[in-house]
Amino acid sequence: MEFSGAVLDVDGTVVRGDEPIPGAPAGYRRLREAGIETLFVSNNPTKAPPAYVDRLGAAGYDVDADRVFTAGSVTTRYLRRHHADDDLLCVADPGLLDQFEAAGLSTTDDVDAADALVASIDREFDYEDLCTALWALERDIPFIGTDPDVVIPAPERDVPGSGAVIHAIAGVAERDPDAVLGKPSDTAIEMVRERLPYPPEECLVVGDRLDTDIALGERAGMTSVLVRSGVTDADDLAASAVSPDYVLDHLGEIDRVIG
């Protein structure tokens, strides 16, 4: 199979923290040498694409901002399409709020005035935030999550992600989110297809998560490659209903896929 494009996850696939994962920079260079157009797609909603140019560049990956998008990008698109005129109550990192402001979206701290609730990773999430979210959702307003990642890779060990906050709110409100963005959502697939305008069978999706990266590849009809350099271990793989087409120890083994 000749491949034309590749979607690459970031955390757990090409970097852990700010450090490159061993073998991954060489795998990235191999994709580029093979003429495969690459697109970095992260489920981290807290930073806009330009921040990834600096972070990835420092780790040895040469990339332009238009070759990166995040769960923040996906959520912003969804909100501009479906909630452009709404006042959004956000349980979220300040970095996500900055992206909403730059996109012209309106946010509020008023539980009784909010038109929708947006939940995401928030490193200062506390009991008061949980109360605020509960009271807002008692008004039966839309409930939107930025991404499903319950656990995310960090430099020392894995830590809770957006999914942990979303599940906590869903538990007390006794309702599921109306939409969860990021990978593998329809909006994320739409954005991938815009930036990699090739037949799905000519595209790879490489990542360390079964329920996001590999699920995106499966849903989009692309070849999926799981790398074991992040959060997924052999037990997770054996128990999953989502099956990757290839399993590699790290991105540096990508020649096993592209030949």
Side-chain angles (χ1 to χ4, degrees), residues 119-136:
S120 182
I121 187 171
D122 182 351
R123 291 172 177 84
E124 297 184 356
F125 181 67
D126 60 16
Y127 187 79
E128 184 177 347
D129 292 318
L130 201 54
C131 292
T132 298
L134 172 63
W135 297 332

Side-chain angles (χ1 to χ4, degrees), residues 42-147:
S42 170
N43 260 7
N44 181 343
T46 66
K47 294 180 174 61
Y52 276 85
V53 173
D54 296 335
R55 181 184 174 203
L56 291 169
Y61 303 94
D62 182 21
V63 59
D64 297 325
D66 65 349
R67 308 314 301 163
V68 181
F69 72 82
T70 71
S73 314
V74 179
T75 303
T76 298
R77 171 178 286 205
Y78 178 90
L79 292 172
R80 291 187 67 181
R81 184 176 291 168
H82 298 285
H83 299 278
D85 299 321
D86 288 349
D87 288 328
L88 307 169
L89 180 67
C90 301
V91 178
D93 186 272
L96 182 63
L97 300 183
D98 291 343
Q99 293 174 67
F100 289 171
E101 181 180 4
L105 295 167
S106 176
T107 60
T108 182
D109 293 326
D110 188 340
V111 171
D112 297 316
D115 298 305
L117 173 72
V118 180
S120 182
I121 187 171
D122 182 351
R123 291 172 177 84
E124 297 184 356
F125 181 67
D126 60 16
Y127 187 79
E128 184 177 347
D129 292 318
L130 201 54
C131 292
T132 298
L134 172 63
W135 297 332
L137 292 178
E138 284 178 342
R139 297 176 42 241
D140 201 31
I141 61 175
F143 174 19
I144 298 130
T146 57
D147 63 277

Side-chain angles (χ1 to χ4, degrees), residues 15-245:
V15 292
R16 181 174 280 272
D18 292 326
E19 296 299 317
I21 286 173
Y28 176 64
R29 290 192 296 272
R30 178 69 185 96
L31 288 167
R32 298 292 297 274
E33 290 165 0
I36 297 172
E37 188 174 354
T38 56
L39 178 66
F40 288 95
V41 182
S42 170
N43 260 7
N44 181 343
T46 66
K47 294 180 174 61
Y52 276 85
V53 173
D54 296 335
R55 181 184 174 203
L56 291 169
Y61 303 94
D62 182 21
V63 59
D64 297 325
D66 65 349
R67 308 314 301 163
V68 181
F69 72 82
T70 71
S73 314
V74 179
T75 303
T76 298
R77 171 178 286 205
Y78 178 90
L79 292 172
R80 291 187 67 181
R81 184 176 291 168
H82 298 285
H83 299 278
D85 299 321
D86 288 349
D87 288 328
L88 307 169
L89 180 67
C90 301
V91 178
D93 186 272
L96 182 63
L97 300 183
D98 291 343
Q99 293 174 67
F100 289 171
E101 181 180 4
L105 295 167
S106 176
T107 60
T108 182
D109 293 326
D110 188 340
V111 171
D112 297 316
D115 298 305
L117 173 72
V118 180
S120 182
I121 187 171
D122 182 351
R123 291 172 177 84
E124 297 184 356
F125 181 67
D126 60 16
Y127 187 79
E128 184 177 347
D129 292 318
L130 201 54
C131 292
T132 298
L134 172 63
W135 297 332
L137 292 178
E138 284 178 342
R139 297 176 42 241
D140 201 31
I141 61 175
F143 174 19
I144 298 130
T146 57
D147 63 277
D149 291 23
V150 175
V151 174
I152 55 176
E156 299 301 325
R157 58 197 306 177
D158 296 342
V159 297
S162 299
V165 175
I166 295 165
H167 284 311
I169 293 171
V172 298
E174 297 185 323
R175 60 175 283 194
D176 292 330
D178 298 287
V180 178
L181 286 308
K183 297 174 287 186
S185 70
D186 289 343
T187 306
I189 292 172
E190 176 185 275
M191 293 176 71
V192 165
R193 286 176 170 157
E194 287 173 0
R195 288 165 171 79
L196 294 177
Y198 307 109
E201 60 270 19
E202 293 182 17
C203 294
L204 298 167
V205 178
V206 185
D208 70 310
R209 295 189 67 99
L210 291 159
D211 60 341
T212 58
D213 305 309
I214 305 309
L216 182 142
E218 188 175 271
R219 294 189 64 219
M222 299 175 179
T223 298
S224 60
V225 182
L226 178 75
V227 288
R228 290 185 284 214
S229 52
V231 300
T232 300
D233 60 23
D235 290 340
D236 296 327
L237 183 58
S240 177
V242 179
S243 299
D245 296 303

